[in-house]
């Protein structure tokens, strides 16, 4: 053991129990000065000295590691990047990078959260600038402050009066259940790893992918921003309507008129937004310090409400209201009674003010109406009475508040119209679903803690505990308030939305003890505090989206100044100002509810998806969750969305879809190990099992293409390029078949020598596929021989029942010269292997003359149907015609008949067959006579005969001949035939009869085969010389794979297709690929 003074901060001692020897490994050059014996832990055969004895890293030290991890990937254990390893581990690592011990790898581990190393960025000051908040101040109190907002003070009592206590309790339970289920799902996700900045957005995007995460993240951001608008408008409403309705009036005579009230909200709301924005701009630490003051006012207000409820059991507050009539009762506005209910709420026509007799205001307001029904013929108002607005627990009111009172605008009860000039009437239509939408924003503050996850000391611990505790606390408060308000307040007063019958007082303020101003100040502080918390979290959420670079236009919002997202904050304030200009509180609540519910639904979906898929990385520490609960949360969120406002729900979904498609279009290439990728893998696995059960039916057959693409290497820059890039355009034009495409390349050589080029070639193929819009896969195989590589890919490519059934390879144009690459042999062998594998073959000839994806063709596509191939010719022509490049072309079908065949009947049968195939094509039958062999056929066959004789004379085996191409070329040059003059014979000879007689190897079958190819080629050229594309059957390959057979086959096919510009040679797989049945 080394001396303690020279011991490094991280010290590992490996001990051998038998030899009692110890080897020390120093991991840092800087020794500790005066350190004592460090605390240690034994684990197996080594001792790890805890880092508690290590001094903290100097704040001024700069990290020099170029691979600094992303702030999303930070873990508690991290060291400086200039750690030097003195212990030589070269026996374990033989790479260019420096060696690393097991401890070093564990200590610098950065995987698990954001595996994409490309996204890594500097993190020098991020952790130092974070607020390092705990559960109470970081999550619990912000959530409580956000949840207990404006609704509980200025709308909850009205909900009770309209819906009744039972239905209001149901509304609270439904909405709270939605948030509680979401909190449970969020707790599971938050405890499944480190949650950096971004909160809910980070959880959704890493669980459902960048497209879903970006779409929902931006909508959730908008929801938070408009929520701040709602809180600010609510605070201004409390000021203008309840705290100083006269002194705060800027213009207009009556702030009760909506247009005048909304203008006040806009002016005061803008001023309040500026103040709150300045507080947020100072920093989150300042917000965290002043937020408890606002929360304290809220808590005191709630305590005063409970104190008022208790006091009402023995001494209810004196709050008279004036009622007229029975069944229904008409609640009279206090302004009609000069705000003196006890004096002027009387049935008489005349009233006395001192020594004066005046017309009673109640009588004047009601009885002077021509349509009144409340006045008697004896000049008095019937059934006038003064009742206590808050009878309190002493006079139990719960039984009176059990029934609902849903109304249309202008009604006092259902189907009973009222007069808004003197009585309180409904100002809008109400129903259970509408009230759900109005109430739901009062429970939407559950993400206040997760939105600031980047400022939490331990987000995985604080978010679940603080959020669930806040939901349980606030739900208890809401439920108890519903019961107490229903038990203490008169039913008519509960339906007075703005306190018109009690001189513009808040009902909860009138109930509270000791003073109503405590409630109004508390309600104001509550709304301002909730707006402050929301405007603190929303910019951080937007910054997290911008940092992930999902939407390029948001890139500038990723910047921070002094640890604060200043650019994102200014944009948030601008959007919030737009919400303030709307000014209508109820419209704001319906709109932002959609954004929150969409976010909650996706949080639940993320948890359910991860749980059902059982991914190995899904290991949350929070155990009290289940996928059924998450699915219930999804269904509840969607249900509440459409219950609250179906058109707002559709608008929110359309916005989400637009953002989703935009991110998908921009190509958010993020690999986050999301659940959608896992779901795709599970779905693919299930589909593969199903597909593998049986071969596909003819109706389900579609070309699954394995295309062999040659690449050539530039020796100067050592870069690869495609030899036939137009082949990819052809693959794109076949995409109507809806099959998959595999673009494959064979690199000849040894794998250990070529593996470094595999990724370069694969990247080239992927880029080319993307540029030509071909949705396919790239495959690169290194093989010592091209033929073996092609054979291996044809045999092994694919998985289960999803394997290529069609091979695409270009015709080798230089097959006569290119002996060194054995092009002809590889081509023939590929066809033979594909035939043995029961795969169809498509061979484009003159591929460089094929059109690209922008060249629209007009003309004909000619099909020369020589033999029945299962309908492959028809199907490929039909699929090509579905592409825009070939859509303007007409199909023409040609078939060959002998003179003895009934060509008329054959044409009718073919037309009927094409009709049954639902393919429009012109049918033509070509009759060919039995003619004697032409001179040109003799000439083409003679070339084969010369090669046969030459190979026999040389007596070289096939392989040796291929290795010595110069011998063959020299011999062919020495045996050139001399042309003779034309004669008057039937045929045009280009050789002497003696030469032909000397070549006994020329058989009659070979001669007639060549003659048939030449004659058919003449027919094709005569009829299809102007065709944009010609499709023809590919002749069968030779059974003997010798050089002579290969050369003969290539000559035959060349003679068949000579002079044709764009040509597709096809050979079926031996099974039907098209059917006449539905």
């Amino acid at each position: 053991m080394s001396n303690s003074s020279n011991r490094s901060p991280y010290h590992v001692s490996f001990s051998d129990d038998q030899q009692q020897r110890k080897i020390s490994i120093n991991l840092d050059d800087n020794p500790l000065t005066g350190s004592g014996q460090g605390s240690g832990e034994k684990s197996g055969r080594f001792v790890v000295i805890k880092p508690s004895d290590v001094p903290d890293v100097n704040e001024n030290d700069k990290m020099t590691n170029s691979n600094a991890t992303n702030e999303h990937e930070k873990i508690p254990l991290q060291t400086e990047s200039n750690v030097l390893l003195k212990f030589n581990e070269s026996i374990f690592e033989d790479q260019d990078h420096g060696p690393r011990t097991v401890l070093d790898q564990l200590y610098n581990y950065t995987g698990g959260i954001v595996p994409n190393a490309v996204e890594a960025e500097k993190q020098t000051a991020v952790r130092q600038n974070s607020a390092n908040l705990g559960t109470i101040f970081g999550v619990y109190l912000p959530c409580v402050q956000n949840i207990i907002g404006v609704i509980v003070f200025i709308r909850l009592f009205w909900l009770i009066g309209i819906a009744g206590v039972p239905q209001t309790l149901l509304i609270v339970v439904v909405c709270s259940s939605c948030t509680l289920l979401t909190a449970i799902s969020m707790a599971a996700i938050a405890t499944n790893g480190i949650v950096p900045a971004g909160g809910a957005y980070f959880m959704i995007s890493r669980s459902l992918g960048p497209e879903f995460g970006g779409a929902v993240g931006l909508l959730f951001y908008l929801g938070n921003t408009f929520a701040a608008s709602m809180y600010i408008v609510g605070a201004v409403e409390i000021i203008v309507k309840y705290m100083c309705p006269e002194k705060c009036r800027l213009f207009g005579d009556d702030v009760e008129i909506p247009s005048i009230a909304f203008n006040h909200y806009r002016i005061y709301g803008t001023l309040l937004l500026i103040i709150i924005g300045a507080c947020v701009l100072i920093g989150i630490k300042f917000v965290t310090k002043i937020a408890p003051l606002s929360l304290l006012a809220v808590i005191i207000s709630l305590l005063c409400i409970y104190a008022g409820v208790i006091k009402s059991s023995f001494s209810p507050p004196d709050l008279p209201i004036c009622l007229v009539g029975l069944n229904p009762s008409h609640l009279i506005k206090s302004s009609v009674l000069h705000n003196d209910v006890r004096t002027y709420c009387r049935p008489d026509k005349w009233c006395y003010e001192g020594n004066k007799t005046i017309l009673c205001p109640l009588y004047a307001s009601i009885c002077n109406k021509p349509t009144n029904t409340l006045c008697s013929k004896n000049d008095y108002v019937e059934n006038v009475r003064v009742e206590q607005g808050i009878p309190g627990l002493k006079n139990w009111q719960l039984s009176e508040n059990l029934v609902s009172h849903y109304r249309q605008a202008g009604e006092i009860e259902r189907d009973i119209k009222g007069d808004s000039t003197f009585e309180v009437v409904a100002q809008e239509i109400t129903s259970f679903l509408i009230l759900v939408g109005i109430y739901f924003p009062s429970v939407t503050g559950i993400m206040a803690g997760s939105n600031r996850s980047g400022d939490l000391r331990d987000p995985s611990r604080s978010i679940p505990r603080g959020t669930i505790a806040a939901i349980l606390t606030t739900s208890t408060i809401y439920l108890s308030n519903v019961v107490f308000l229903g038990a203490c307040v008169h039913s008519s007063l509960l339906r007075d939305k703005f306190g018109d019958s009690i001189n513009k007082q808040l009902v909860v303020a009138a109930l509270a003890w000791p003073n109503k101003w405590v409630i109004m100040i508390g309600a104001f502080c509550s709304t301002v505090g909730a707006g402050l918390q929301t405007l603190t979290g929303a910019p951080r959420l937007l910054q997290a989206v911008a940092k992930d670079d999902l939407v390029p236009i948001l890139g500038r919002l990723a910047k921070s100044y002094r640890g604060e997202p200043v650019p994102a904050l200014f944009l948030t304030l601008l959007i919030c100002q737009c919400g303030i200009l709307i000014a209508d509180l109820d419209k704001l609540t319906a709109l932002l509810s959609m954004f929150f519910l969409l976010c909650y639904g996706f949080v639940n979906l993320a948890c359910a998806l991860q749980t059902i898929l059982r991914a190995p990385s899904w290991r949350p520490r929070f155990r009290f969750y289940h996928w059924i609960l998450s699915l219930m949360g999804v269904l509840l969120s969607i249900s509440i969305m459409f219950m609250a406002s179906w058109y707002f729900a559709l608008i929110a979904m359309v916005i989400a879809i637009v953002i989703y498609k935009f991110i998908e279009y921009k190509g958010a290439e993020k690999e986050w190990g999301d659940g959608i990728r896992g779901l795709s893998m599970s779905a693919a696995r299930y589909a593969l099992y199903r597909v593998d059960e049986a071969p596909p039916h003819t109706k389900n057959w579609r070309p699954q293409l394995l295309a062999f693409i040659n690449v050539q290497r530039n020796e100067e820059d050592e870069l690869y390029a495609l030899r036939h890039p137009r082949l990819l355009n052809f693959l794109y034009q076949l995409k109507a078949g809806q099959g998959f495409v595999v673009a494959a390349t064979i690199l000849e050589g040894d794998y250990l020598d070529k593996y470094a080029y595999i990724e370069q070639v694969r990247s080239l193929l992927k880029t080319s596929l993307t540029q030509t819009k071909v949705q396919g896969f790239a495959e690169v195989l290194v093989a010592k021989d091209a033929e073996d590589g092609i054979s291996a890919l044809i045999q092994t490519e694919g998985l289960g029942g999803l394997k290529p059934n069609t091979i695409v390879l270009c015709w080798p144009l230089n097959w006569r010269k290119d002996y060194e690459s054995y092009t002809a042999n590889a081509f023939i062998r590929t066809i033979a292997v594909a035939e043995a594998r029961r795969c169809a073959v498509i061979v484009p000839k003159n591929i460089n003359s094929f059109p690209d994806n922008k060249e629209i063709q007009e003309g004909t596509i000619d099909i020369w149907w020589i033999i029945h191939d299962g309908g492959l010719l028809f199907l490929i022509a039909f699929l090509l015609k579905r592409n825009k490049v070939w859509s303007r072309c007409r199909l023409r079908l040609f078939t060959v008949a002998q003179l003895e065949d009934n060509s008329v009947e054959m044409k009718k049968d073919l037309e009927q067959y094409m009709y049954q195939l639902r393919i429009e094509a012109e049918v033509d039958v070509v009759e060919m006579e039995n003619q004697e062999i032409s001179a040109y056929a003799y000439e083409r066959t003679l070339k084969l005969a010369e090669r046969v004789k030459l190979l026999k004379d040389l007596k070289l085996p096939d392989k040796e001949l291929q290795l010595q191409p110069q011998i063959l070329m020299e011999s062919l040059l020495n045996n050139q035939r001399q042309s003779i003059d034309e004669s008057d014979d039937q045929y045009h000879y280009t050789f002497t009869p003696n030469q032909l007689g000397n070549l006994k190897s020329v058989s009659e079958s070979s001669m007639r085969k060549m003659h048939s190819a030449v004659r058919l080629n003449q027919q094709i050229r005569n009829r299809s010389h102007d065709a944009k594309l010609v499709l023809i059957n590919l002749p069968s390959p030779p059974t003997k794979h010798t050089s002579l057979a290969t050369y003969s086959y290539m000559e035959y096919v060349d003679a068949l297709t000579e002079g044709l510009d764009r040509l597709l040679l096809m050979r079926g797989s031996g099974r039907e690929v098209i059917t006449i049945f539905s």
Side-chain angles (χ1 to χ4, degrees):
M1 264 296 200
S2 59
N3 191 281
S4 62
S5 62
N6 296 324
R7 185 175 297 126
S8 66
Y10 304 95
H11 190 80
V12 182
S13 299
F14 295 90
S15 60
D16 192 319
D17 296 337
Q18 297 178 355
Q19 301 181 9
Q20 296 295 324
R21 54 189 182 137
K22 298 179 180 179
I23 304 175
S24 299
I25 303 176
N26 292 322
L27 300 178
D28 201 315
D29 284 340
N30 300 325
L32 295 176
T33 57
S35 62
Q37 196 72 7
S39 58
E41 290 183 358
K42 291 186 177 181
S43 177
R45 298 170 58 83
F46 61 91
V47 180
V48 181
I49 303 301
K50 290 184 176 180
S52 57
D53 299 332
V54 184
D56 294 336
V57 179
N58 194 329
E59 293 183 358
N60 298 324
D61 293 342
K62 295 184 178 180
M63 300 179 67
T64 59
N65 187 2
S66 62
N67 295 324
T69 58
N70 188 295
E71 68 176 351
H72 290 180
E73 305 179 60
K74 292 185 295 223
I75 56 176
L77 294 177
Q78 289 192 0
T79 64
E80 290 183 281
S81 62
N82 57 354
V83 175
L84 299 178
L85 302 175
K86 293 186 177 181
F87 185 69
N88 187 359
E89 293 188 0
S90 59
I91 59 175
F92 298 106
E93 293 285 349
D94 194 17
Q95 305 293 334
D96 294 335
H97 52 75
R100 299 177 67 188
T101 62
V102 175
L103 181 63
D104 184 41
Q105 293 176 8
L106 292 175
Y107 193 78
N108 293 281
Y109 174 72
T110 57
I113 298 298
V114 186
N116 190 354
V118 180
E119 301 174 15
E121 58 183 36
K122 295 182 180 180
Q123 59 167 0
T124 307
V126 173
R127 181 59 65 181
Q128 296 174 357
N129 292 335
S130 63
N132 203 25
L133 302 174
T135 301
I136 300 297
F137 289 97
V139 180
Y140 177 76
L141 293 181
C143 286
V144 170
Q145 192 169 7
N146 256 25
I147 295 173
I148 303 178
V150 61
I151 302 296
V152 68
F153 293 104
I154 66 176
R155 290 292 186 269
L156 183 59
F157 68 89
W158 176 72
L159 265 65
I160 300 170
I162 298 297
V165 172
Q167 292 190 33
T168 306
L169 289 175
L170 180 61
I171 292 174
V172 174
V173 169
V174 169
C175 296
S176 297
S177 298
C178 180
T179 57
L180 182 61
L181 293 174
T182 304
I184 292 174
S185 299
M186 185 172 62
I189 300 174
T191 57
N192 190 51
I194 298 173
V195 181
Y201 157 72
F202 180 87
M203 299 181 214
I204 295 174
S205 61
R206 269 55 176 183
S207 298
L208 297 180
E211 293 86 0
F212 280 107
V216 180
L218 289 177
L219 286 183
F220 186 52
Y221 161 75
L222 291 176
N224 277 277
T225 305
F226 281 112
S229 302
M230 181 194 71
Y231 294 135
I232 292 175
V233 170
V236 173
E237 181 179 325
I238 292 173
I239 294 176
V240 173
K241 285 196 172 184
Y242 302 110
M243 298 181 73
C244 56
E246 298 294 335
K247 296 181 180 179
C248 297
R249 185 181 303 169
L250 298 177
F251 46 81
D253 297 330
D254 189 4
V255 294
E256 296 304 316
I257 300 175
S259 59
I260 297 177
F262 291 162
N263 288 331
H264 283 82
Y265 297 166
R266 294 180 181 107
I267 295 174
Y268 285 116
T270 302
L271 297 176
L272 185 58
L273 177 64
I274 294 174
I275 297 173
I276 295 177
C279 295
V280 176
L281 188 61
I282 295 175
I284 190 173
K285 292 184 178 180
F286 178 75
V287 174
T288 306
K289 291 179 180 179
I290 64 174
L293 299 178
S294 173
L295 182 61
L296 180 62
V298 174
I299 294 174
I300 293 175
S301 300
L302 292 174
L303 292 177
C304 289
I305 294 175
Y306 289 119
V309 170
I310 296 173
K311 178 179 177 293
S312 69
S313 62
F314 57 87
S315 178
D318 184 19
L319 187 67
I321 58 176
C322 182
L323 296 173
V324 177
L326 297 173
N327 195 24
S329 298
H330 299 257
L331 181 63
I332 307 302
K333 292 182 177 180
S334 61
S335 58
V336 173
L337 306 176
H338 305 310
N339 294 324
D340 189 351
V341 174
R342 293 196 180 277
T343 302
Y344 296 107
C345 183
R346 51 193 305 173
D348 303 327
K349 180 177 181 180
W350 302 103
C351 296
Y352 300 96
E353 286 186 357
N355 296 327
K356 295 182 179 181
T357 301
I358 62 173
L359 187 66
C360 286
L362 180 61
Y363 183 90
S365 301
I366 297 176
C367 298
N368 288 339
K369 303 285 185 180
T371 59
N372 78 84
T373 58
L374 300 176
C375 295
S376 68
K377 298 179 180 180
N378 299 325
D379 292 337
Y380 70 92
V381 183
E382 295 180 342
N383 299 316
V384 177
R385 60 196 181 276
V386 176
E387 296 186 7
Q388 283 294 333
I390 304 179
L393 295 178
K394 184 177 182 180
N395 301 286
W396 191 256
Q397 296 292 308
L398 192 60
S399 59
E400 302 293 331
N401 292 317
L402 295 179
V403 296
S404 61
H405 299 271
Y406 298 116
R407 304 172 292 179
Q408 299 288 332
E411 294 181 347
I412 58 173
E413 288 291 347
R414 181 172 297 179
D415 300 328
I416 300 177
K417 288 290 185 178
D419 190 342
S420 60
T421 60
F422 66 88
E423 63 180 326
V424 177
V425 298
Q427 297 187 359
E428 65 279 305
I429 183 175
T430 53
S431 66
F432 179 82
L433 302 183
I434 293 176
L435 296 187
V436 170
I438 293 175
Y439 172 78
F440 189 80
S442 63
V443 298
T444 56
I446 64 171
M447 299 291 185
S450 62
N451 287 347
R452 42 164 78 184
S453 56
D455 299 297
L456 299 177
R457 185 184 306 115
D458 187 359
S460 298
R461 179 186 180 91
S462 300
I463 290 176
R465 293 188 175 188
T467 304
I468 293 177
I471 292 175
L472 295 177
T473 301
T474 53
S475 298
T476 303
I477 294 173
Y478 284 145
L479 292 172
S480 60
N481 271 269
V482 170
V483 174
F484 289 146
L485 288 173
C488 295
V489 183
H490 196 284
S491 61
S492 297
L493 180 57
L494 287 175
R495 294 192 293 275
D496 186 2
K497 187 175 183 179
F498 298 108
D500 292 328
S501 62
I502 53 175
N503 194 19
K504 300 299 182 183
Q505 298 183 68
L506 276 174
V507 173
V508 290
L511 174 63
W513 182 86
N515 193 286
K516 66 177 183 179
W517 283 98
V518 177
I519 298 299
M520 287 190 286
I521 294 175
F524 176 78
C525 292
S526 171
T527 52
V528 172
L532 189 65
Q533 296 287 354
T534 304
L535 288 177
T536 302
R540 284 164 167 76
L541 178 60
L542 181 60
Q543 184 188 40
V545 178
K547 282 186 176 181
D548 283 336
D549 196 25
L550 301 180
V551 183
I553 197 174
L554 300 179
R556 297 183 179 180
L557 302 178
K559 297 181 180 179
S560 297
Y561 298 94
R562 297 179 293 102
E564 295 297 322
V566 177
L569 174 60
F570 281 115
L571 179 61
T572 303
L573 294 177
L574 179 62
I575 298 175
C576 184
Q577 175 63 28
C578 296
I580 293 174
L581 294 178
I582 296 176
D584 192 342
L585 187 65
D586 293 335
K587 289 183 179 179
L588 286 174
T589 58
L591 178 62
L592 66 92
S593 295
M594 302 301 110
F595 298 144
F596 283 117
L597 283 166
L598 206 58
C599 178
Y600 296 165
F602 276 101
V603 169
N604 286 293
L605 179 61
C607 181
L609 191 63
Q610 296 281 19
T611 307
I612 293 173
L613 293 178
R614 297 182 179 180
S617 61
W618 180 246
R619 303 183 300 274
R621 289 191 297 271
F622 184 81
R623 300 297 180 185
F624 305 101
Y625 72 95
H626 196 274
W627 64 269
I628 294 180
L629 297 178
S630 299
L631 286 182
M632 289 174 58
V634 174
L635 296 176
L636 199 56
S637 299
I638 297 176
S639 300
I640 295 176
M641 284 182 65
F642 285 92
M643 287 167 59
S645 177
W646 64 268
Y647 50 89
F648 274 133
L650 292 178
I651 291 174
M653 288 183 174
V654 168
I655 295 174
I657 292 173
V658 170
I659 299 175
Y660 177 95
K661 298 305 292 184
F662 176 79
I663 296 174
E664 185 181 51
Y665 173 76
K666 285 296 183 180
E669 297 180 358
K670 307 289 183 181
E671 177 51 56
W672 288 333
D674 52 85
I676 294 297
R677 182 66 60 88
L679 179 62
S680 300
M681 293 177 63
S682 297
R685 180 185 61 185
Y686 174 76
L688 284 173
Y689 286 148
R690 293 295 302 272
V691 171
D692 201 28
E693 291 179 358
H697 191 272
T698 303
K699 291 187 293 184
N700 293 326
W701 194 95
R702 58 198 63 194
Q704 317 284 10
L705 304 176
L706 173 59
F708 289 100
I709 301 177
N710 293 331
V711 295
Q712 53 189 1
R713 185 183 179 192
N714 190 337
E715 298 298 335
E716 296 181 358
D717 53 10
E718 296 186 352
L719 296 178
Y720 284 90
L722 299 183
R723 184 168 294 178
H724 300 299
R726 289 292 178 101
L727 182 59
L728 294 178
N729 293 326
F730 173 70
L731 299 179
Y732 169 78
Q733 293 157 19
L734 270 178
K735 73 174 186 177
Q738 299 297 319
F740 70 87
V741 175
V742 178
T745 293
I746 307 298
L747 296 181
E748 290 188 282
D750 187 81
Y751 178 78
L752 296 179
D753 298 331
K754 296 286 186 179
Y755 79 93
Y757 302 106
I758 291 178
E759 286 303 321
Q760 177 185 343
V761 177
R762 181 179 285 114
S763 176
L764 172 65
L765 291 176
K766 288 183 178 179
T767 303
S768 302
L769 289 172
T770 303
Q771 291 175 350
T772 53
K773 299 181 180 179
V774 177
Q775 294 182 345
F777 308 96
E779 188 68 64
V780 181
L781 180 67
V782 178
K784 293 185 177 180
D785 186 83
E787 298 178 26
D788 294 337
I790 292 174
S791 177
L793 276 179
I794 293 177
Q795 295 179 63
T796 60
E797 186 63 31
L799 185 63
L802 198 64
K803 293 183 178 179
N805 56 24
T806 305
I807 309 301
V808 181
L809 70 160
C810 295
W811 174 263
L813 296 178
N814 300 321
W815 62 271
R816 290 188 179 89
K817 301 177 181 178
D818 199 4
Y819 293 103
E820 295 182 357
S821 61
Y822 320 135
T823 305
N825 279 312
F827 178 77
I828 299 296
R829 184 173 176 81
T830 301
I831 298 175
V833 173
E835 188 176 31
R837 179 65 173 72
R838 296 182 63 83
C839 290
V841 178
I842 301 178
V843 181
K845 190 176 181 183
N846 302 323
I847 187 64
N848 292 330
S849 65
F850 274 57
D852 61 20
N853 297 333
K854 296 181 180 179
E855 298 178 10
I856 307 301
Q857 303 297 302
E858 294 186 7
T860 62
I861 298 176
D862 290 356
I863 305 171
W864 283 84
W865 189 36
I866 309 303
I867 59 173
H868 183 62
D869 58 352
L872 182 65
L873 286 170
F874 306 143
L875 183 62
I876 297 301
F878 171 74
L879 294 179
L880 285 174
K881 198 173 182 306
R882 293 175 68 176
N883 186 268
K884 64 179 181 178
V885 176
W886 305 98
S887 60
R888 299 182 183 179
C889 293
R890 296 177 292 110
L891 294 183
R892 295 194 302 183
L893 172 62
F894 297 94
T895 188
V896 178
Q898 302 295 328
L899 288 177
E900 60 270 16
D901 295 330
N902 189 344
S903 58
V904 176
E905 188 67 25
M906 185 182 295
K907 181 177 181 179
K908 290 181 179 180
D909 293 341
L910 280 177
E911 289 176 343
Q912 180 65 20
Y913 181 58
M914 298 303 293
Y915 174 78
Q916 292 174 343
L917 288 177
R918 290 91 65 197
I919 298 177
E920 296 181 3
E922 302 173 10
V923 178
D924 193 7
V925 178
V926 179
E927 295 181 348
M928 295 183 64
E929 299 178 353
N930 289 325
Q931 297 180 349
E932 295 184 11
I933 300 172
S934 65
Y936 183 69
Y938 274 123
E939 184 181 359
R940 296 295 295 259
T941 310
L942 187 61
K943 295 179 181 179
L944 297 178
E946 287 179 342
R947 181 179 175 87
V948 172
K949 181 178 182 299
L950 177 63
L951 293 178
K952 288 184 177 180
D953 291 342
L954 295 174
K955 295 181 180 179
L956 291 173
D958 294 340
K959 199 68 175 178
E960 188 176 353
L961 176 65
Q962 294 172 356
L963 295 176
Q964 300 184 33
Q966 67 278 6
I967 299 176
L968 176 62
M969 296 302 296
E970 292 174 0
S971 300
L972 288 176
L973 291 174
N974 293 332
N975 286 277
Q976 287 290 338
R977 300 181 306 279
Q978 303 296 326
S979 299
I980 62 173
D981 295 335
E982 295 184 4
S983 64
D984 294 332
D985 295 336
Q986 180 182 0
Y987 306 110
H988 178 74
Y989 291 97
T990 55
F991 54 90
T992 64
N994 293 333
Q995 287 178 311
L996 180 60
N998 293 333
L999 295 175
K1000 302 297 184 181
S1001 59
V1002 178
S1003 63
E1004 184 177 356
S1005 62
S1006 299
M1007 194 73 70
R1008 292 200 175 277
K1009 185 184 293 185
M1010 180 63 72
H1011 177 65
S1012 299
V1014 172
R1015 288 184 59 206
L1016 183 57
N1017 176 257
Q1018 291 174 352
Q1019 295 290 344
I1020 296 174
R1021 292 170 66 179
N1022 290 337
R1023 287 171 169 79
S1024 302
H1025 63 276
D1026 58 347
K1028 297 300 181 182
L1029 181 64
V1030 176
L1031 286 72
I1032 191 171
N1033 297 107
L1034 178 67
S1036 301
T1039 55
K1040 295 181 180 180
H1041 299 157
T1042 63
S1043 295
L1044 292 178
T1046 298
Y1047 189 88
S1048 301
Y1049 179 80
M1050 301 299 285
E1051 279 288 355
Y1052 290 141
V1053 178
D1054 246 356
L1056 178 65
T1057 60
E1058 187 177 13
L1060 300 177
D1061 185 20
R1062 295 173 184 164
L1063 182 68
L1064 287 181
L1065 294 160
M1066 298 188 195
R1067 182 162 181 80
S1069 61
R1071 61 163 296 171
E1072 295 292 329
V1073 300
I1074 194 169
T1075 178
I1076 64 175
F1077 300 102
S1078 61

